[in-house]
Amino acid sequence: MLVDKFGRVIDYLRISVTQLCNFKCRYCMPEDGEFNNIGRSNILSYEEMFDFVKICLDNGVKKIRLTGGEPLVRRDIEKFVKMINDYKPDLDLAMTTNGYYLKQKAKVLRESGLKRLNISLDTLDEKKANFIARKDVLNQVLDGINEAVKEGFGIKLNSVVLKGINDNEIIDLLEFARSKNAQIRYIEFMENTHASSDLKGLRKDDILDILSKKYSIKEITKSPNSPSSLFETSDGYKFGIIDPHKHDFCASCNRLRLSADGLLIPCLYYEDGKSIKEAMRSGDYDKAKQILKDVLEAKPEKNKWENDGKGEISSRAFYQTGG
Ligand code: SAM
Ligand code: SF4
């Protein structure tokens, strides 16, 4: 079992399989995304990642999420899914995706053992989707969601709520998610140095105020390690809000993150990490285990995200660590 020095059991690994993405969402990366190419030779192969995954699974990790960048732009991602699933078929194996390639990939991902999908959907309006992602994406994403529903995935829809952009769609997005039997999770925009500087996010209370105009809502108990607060409408629909500006989820954090180039990162909002790349490439698994221990030891009690509006904002890019 992996336990950090604050007694938190770490049983969740998030793997960013690539930094590359076919979108350039304004809240995630600048228009000029060239710097995000870390070079093919620096990316861990699926075999290298899988050898590390096995170490983690053998030490008590029970949940793995594949993310990015956009995980579906990495070639043959389903092979990696299958490698992990074959090793531990009862694993909670999930993916976060922008949904663009799901129409083609949902079936093969399901067959390979992927169980759950978080799909990003900020708007139901074509022009706004184009504005946010800097690309004409909506119809393909909606087709992807339909395909994922058809394949029987457990689905959550993630919406970053932005003032003056999609804040008039909060109710429509909930209705849409409900019609797909999916849970919607509104995400507060997290300021970071890679996002467009003119964006402003809505906070949890603003989102609840808007929803309360149509629904009667109560907060319900969330699962212990989830970063989102959970709510229920009076007719039984459950939805979440991820509110990092107020909510302190560090006390129950159970995660480590692995970047595509092998950096093992103890915390989303913490600059330090340690690379497992050389250890995996040389087959030195004792060294990899030691790095895992070191990173666990370095996991901070609280994140270093500047979330009170003063001082420096985070320079950690979401497309590197997977959000
Ligand atoms: N490309 C995939 C996608 O968009 O779902 C996976 C990676 S993306 C970095 C993971 C999640 O982070 C997405 O749901 C996205 O909306 C969210 N995200 C990215 N930048 C964010 C920001 N500045 N504030 C809040 N959420 C953000
Ligand atoms: Fe790509 Fe996801 Fe970032 Fe959008 S949020 S640019 S889809 S990595």
Side-chain angles (χ1 to χ4, degrees), residues 21-25 27-29 68-70 98 120 318-319:
C21 188
N22 52 332
F23 292 14
K24 288 199 171 96
C25 301
Y27 47 69
C28 180
M29 56 170 81
E70 173 47 41
N98 62 32
S120 298
F318 278 74
Y319 61 82

PDB file of all heavy atoms in Angstrom, residues 21-25 27-29 68-70 98 120 318-319, ligand 2:
ATOM      1  N   CYS A  21      -2.523  17.979 -28.413  1.00  0.00           N
ATOM      2  CA  CYS A  21      -3.972  18.043 -28.448  1.00  0.00           C
ATOM      3  C   CYS A  21      -4.419  18.596 -29.794  1.00  0.00           C
ATOM      4  O   CYS A  21      -3.725  19.405 -30.403  1.00  0.00           O
ATOM      5  CB  CYS A  21      -4.483  18.941 -27.324  1.00  0.00           C
ATOM      6  SG  CYS A  21      -6.283  18.860 -27.196  1.00  0.00           S
ATOM      7  N   ASN A  22      -5.584  18.138 -30.233  1.00  0.00           N
ATOM      8  CA  ASN A  22      -6.158  18.639 -31.478  1.00  0.00           C
ATOM      9  C   ASN A  22      -7.032  19.873 -31.243  1.00  0.00           C
ATOM     10  O   ASN A  22      -7.544  20.451 -32.184  1.00  0.00           O
ATOM     11  CB  ASN A  22      -6.966  17.529 -32.166  1.00  0.00           C
ATOM     12  CG  ASN A  22      -7.976  16.872 -31.247  1.00  0.00           C
ATOM     13  OD1 ASN A  22      -7.794  16.833 -30.041  1.00  0.00           O
ATOM     14  ND2 ASN A  22      -9.051  16.362 -31.804  1.00  0.00           N
ATOM     15  N   PHE A  23      -7.249  20.275 -29.982  1.00  0.00           N
ATOM     16  CA  PHE A  23      -7.950  21.523 -29.653  1.00  0.00           C
ATOM     17  C   PHE A  23      -6.918  22.498 -29.073  1.00  0.00           C
ATOM     18  O   PHE A  23      -5.836  22.090 -28.677  1.00  0.00           O
ATOM     19  CB  PHE A  23      -9.016  21.304 -28.565  1.00  0.00           C
ATOM     20  CG  PHE A  23     -10.220  20.474 -28.955  1.00  0.00           C
ATOM     21  CD1 PHE A  23     -10.262  19.707 -30.105  1.00  0.00           C
ATOM     22  CD2 PHE A  23     -11.346  20.454 -28.127  1.00  0.00           C
ATOM     23  CE1 PHE A  23     -11.374  18.937 -30.426  1.00  0.00           C
ATOM     24  CE2 PHE A  23     -12.460  19.689 -28.437  1.00  0.00           C
ATOM     25  CZ  PHE A  23     -12.475  18.929 -29.582  1.00  0.00           C
ATOM     26  N   LYS A  24      -7.325  23.745 -28.974  1.00  0.00           N
ATOM     27  CA  LYS A  24      -6.490  24.711 -28.243  1.00  0.00           C
ATOM     28  C   LYS A  24      -7.415  25.530 -27.338  1.00  0.00           C
ATOM     29  O   LYS A  24      -7.613  26.727 -27.556  1.00  0.00           O
ATOM     30  CB  LYS A  24      -5.749  25.631 -29.212  1.00  0.00           C
ATOM     31  CG  LYS A  24      -4.626  24.960 -29.954  1.00  0.00           C
ATOM     32  CD  LYS A  24      -3.644  25.962 -30.519  1.00  0.00           C
ATOM     33  CE  LYS A  24      -2.422  25.283 -31.079  1.00  0.00           C
ATOM     34  NZ  LYS A  24      -2.481  25.056 -32.514  1.00  0.00           N
ATOM     35  N   CYS A  25      -8.012  24.858 -26.377  1.00  0.00           N
ATOM     36  CA  CYS A  25      -8.994  25.534 -25.532  1.00  0.00           C
ATOM     37  C   CYS A  25      -8.372  26.743 -24.842  1.00  0.00           C
ATOM     38  O   CYS A  25      -7.257  26.659 -24.320  1.00  0.00           O
ATOM     39  CB  CYS A  25      -9.545  24.574 -24.490  1.00  0.00           C
ATOM     40  SG  CYS A  25     -10.316  23.138 -25.241  1.00  0.00           S
ATOM     41  N   TYR A  27      -8.860  28.159 -22.108  1.00  0.00           N
ATOM     42  CA  TYR A  27      -8.542  28.089 -20.674  1.00  0.00           C
ATOM     43  C   TYR A  27      -7.373  27.156 -20.394  1.00  0.00           C
ATOM     44  O   TYR A  27      -6.962  26.999 -19.259  1.00  0.00           O
ATOM     45  CB  TYR A  27      -9.771  27.662 -19.859  1.00  0.00           C
ATOM     46  CG  TYR A  27     -10.535  26.477 -20.410  1.00  0.00           C
ATOM     47  CD1 TYR A  27      -9.986  25.197 -20.401  1.00  0.00           C
ATOM     48  CD2 TYR A  27     -11.808  26.645 -20.939  1.00  0.00           C
ATOM     49  CE1 TYR A  27     -10.676  24.118 -20.900  1.00  0.00           C
ATOM     50  CE2 TYR A  27     -12.520  25.552 -21.444  1.00  0.00           C
ATOM     51  CZ  TYR A  27     -11.946  24.294 -21.421  1.00  0.00           C
ATOM     52  OH  TYR A  27     -12.627  23.220 -21.922  1.00  0.00           O
ATOM     53  N   CYS A  28      -6.863  26.488 -21.432  1.00  0.00           N
ATOM     54  CA  CYS A  28      -5.854  25.446 -21.228  1.00  0.00           C
ATOM     55  C   CYS A  28      -4.517  25.764 -21.889  1.00  0.00           C
ATOM     56  O   CYS A  28      -3.474  25.522 -21.313  1.00  0.00           O
ATOM     57  CB  CYS A  28      -6.397  24.130 -21.768  1.00  0.00           C
ATOM     58  SG  CYS A  28      -5.315  22.716 -21.607  1.00  0.00           S
ATOM     59  N   MET A  29      -4.576  26.278 -23.127  1.00  0.00           N
ATOM     60  CA  MET A  29      -3.301  26.542 -23.808  1.00  0.00           C
ATOM     61  C   MET A  29      -3.382  27.792 -24.677  1.00  0.00           C
ATOM     62  O   MET A  29      -4.462  28.173 -25.131  1.00  0.00           O
ATOM     63  CB  MET A  29      -2.823  25.346 -24.617  1.00  0.00           C
ATOM     64  CG  MET A  29      -3.753  24.799 -25.650  1.00  0.00           C
ATOM     65  SD  MET A  29      -2.901  23.574 -26.684  1.00  0.00           S
ATOM     66  CE  MET A  29      -2.938  22.106 -25.699  1.00  0.00           C
ATOM     67  N   GLY A  68      -4.508  13.779 -20.890  1.00  0.00           N
ATOM     68  CA  GLY A  68      -3.488  14.401 -21.714  1.00  0.00           C
ATOM     69  C   GLY A  68      -3.412  15.892 -21.372  1.00  0.00           C
ATOM     70  O   GLY A  68      -3.814  16.270 -20.269  1.00  0.00           O
ATOM     71  N   GLY A  69      -3.076  16.625 -22.341  1.00  0.00           N
ATOM     72  CA  GLY A  69      -3.295  16.605 -23.770  1.00  0.00           C
ATOM     73  C   GLY A  69      -4.570  15.819 -24.100  1.00  0.00           C
ATOM     74  O   GLY A  69      -5.408  15.607 -23.245  1.00  0.00           O
ATOM     75  N   GLU A  70      -4.664  15.422 -25.311  1.00  0.00           N
ATOM     76  CA  GLU A  70      -5.828  14.628 -25.695  1.00  0.00           C
ATOM     77  C   GLU A  70      -5.387  13.167 -25.880  1.00  0.00           C
ATOM     78  O   GLU A  70      -4.652  12.846 -26.822  1.00  0.00           O
ATOM     79  CB  GLU A  70      -6.439  15.198 -26.980  1.00  0.00           C
ATOM     80  CG  GLU A  70      -7.541  14.365 -27.580  1.00  0.00           C
ATOM     81  CD  GLU A  70      -8.598  13.901 -26.565  1.00  0.00           C
ATOM     82  OE1 GLU A  70      -9.000  14.677 -25.687  1.00  0.00           O
ATOM     83  OE2 GLU A  70      -9.003  12.734 -26.647  1.00  0.00           O
ATOM     84  N   ASN A  98     -11.578  14.998 -24.891  1.00  0.00           N
ATOM     85  CA  ASN A  98     -12.435  16.053 -25.453  1.00  0.00           C
ATOM     86  C   ASN A  98     -13.516  15.466 -26.358  1.00  0.00           C
ATOM     87  O   ASN A  98     -14.352  16.197 -26.881  1.00  0.00           O
ATOM     88  CB  ASN A  98     -11.607  17.113 -26.194  1.00  0.00           C
ATOM     89  CG  ASN A  98     -10.838  16.556 -27.391  1.00  0.00           C
ATOM     90  OD1 ASN A  98     -11.278  15.624 -28.057  1.00  0.00           O
ATOM     91  ND2 ASN A  98      -9.687  17.158 -27.682  1.00  0.00           N
ATOM     92  N   SER A 120     -15.255  16.286 -22.064  1.00  0.00           N
ATOM     93  CA  SER A 120     -15.388  17.730 -21.873  1.00  0.00           C
ATOM     94  C   SER A 120     -16.416  18.283 -22.849  1.00  0.00           C
ATOM     95  O   SER A 120     -16.347  18.027 -24.050  1.00  0.00           O
ATOM     96  CB  SER A 120     -14.031  18.410 -22.094  1.00  0.00           C
ATOM     97  OG  SER A 120     -13.121  17.920 -21.140  1.00  0.00           O
ATOM     98  N   PHE A 318      -2.238  22.580 -17.814  1.00  0.00           N
ATOM     99  CA  PHE A 318      -3.213  21.484 -17.717  1.00  0.00           C
ATOM    100  C   PHE A 318      -2.955  20.440 -18.797  1.00  0.00           C
ATOM    101  O   PHE A 318      -3.221  19.268 -18.596  1.00  0.00           O
ATOM    102  CB  PHE A 318      -4.633  22.034 -17.848  1.00  0.00           C
ATOM    103  CG  PHE A 318      -5.170  22.591 -16.571  1.00  0.00           C
ATOM    104  CD1 PHE A 318      -4.717  23.799 -16.084  1.00  0.00           C
ATOM    105  CD2 PHE A 318      -6.120  21.912 -15.838  1.00  0.00           C
ATOM    106  CE1 PHE A 318      -5.196  24.320 -14.905  1.00  0.00           C
ATOM    107  CE2 PHE A 318      -6.604  22.415 -14.644  1.00  0.00           C
ATOM    108  CZ  PHE A 318      -6.144  23.632 -14.179  1.00  0.00           C
ATOM    109  N   TYR A 319      -2.464  20.890 -19.958  1.00  0.00           N
ATOM    110  CA  TYR A 319      -2.269  19.915 -21.026  1.00  0.00           C
ATOM    111  C   TYR A 319      -1.055  19.021 -20.755  1.00  0.00           C
ATOM    112  O   TYR A 319      -0.861  18.019 -21.420  1.00  0.00           O
ATOM    113  CB  TYR A 319      -2.141  20.601 -22.397  1.00  0.00           C
ATOM    114  CG  TYR A 319      -0.978  21.550 -22.505  1.00  0.00           C
ATOM    115  CD1 TYR A 319       0.294  21.076 -22.783  1.00  0.00           C
ATOM    116  CD2 TYR A 319      -1.147  22.913 -22.314  1.00  0.00           C
ATOM    117  CE1 TYR A 319       1.370  21.931 -22.859  1.00  0.00           C
ATOM    118  CE2 TYR A 319      -0.086  23.781 -22.388  1.00  0.00           C
ATOM    119  CZ  TYR A 319       1.176  23.291 -22.663  1.00  0.00           C
ATOM    120  OH  TYR A 319       2.222  24.146 -22.722  1.00  0.00           O
TER     121      TYR A 319
HETATM  122 FE1  SF4 B   2      -6.870  19.984 -25.329  1.00  0.00          FE
HETATM  123 FE2  SF4 B   2      -8.226  19.173 -23.209  1.00  0.00          FE
HETATM  124 FE3  SF4 B   2      -6.592  21.292 -23.054  1.00  0.00          FE
HETATM  125 FE4  SF4 B   2      -8.839  21.498 -24.465  1.00  0.00          FE
HETATM  126  S1  SF4 B   2      -8.680  21.119 -22.239  1.00  0.00           S
HETATM  127  S2  SF4 B   2      -6.784  22.173 -25.130  1.00  0.00           S
HETATM  128  S3  SF4 B   2      -9.044  19.499 -25.274  1.00  0.00           S
HETATM  129  S4  SF4 B   2      -5.970  19.226 -23.407  1.00  0.00           S
END
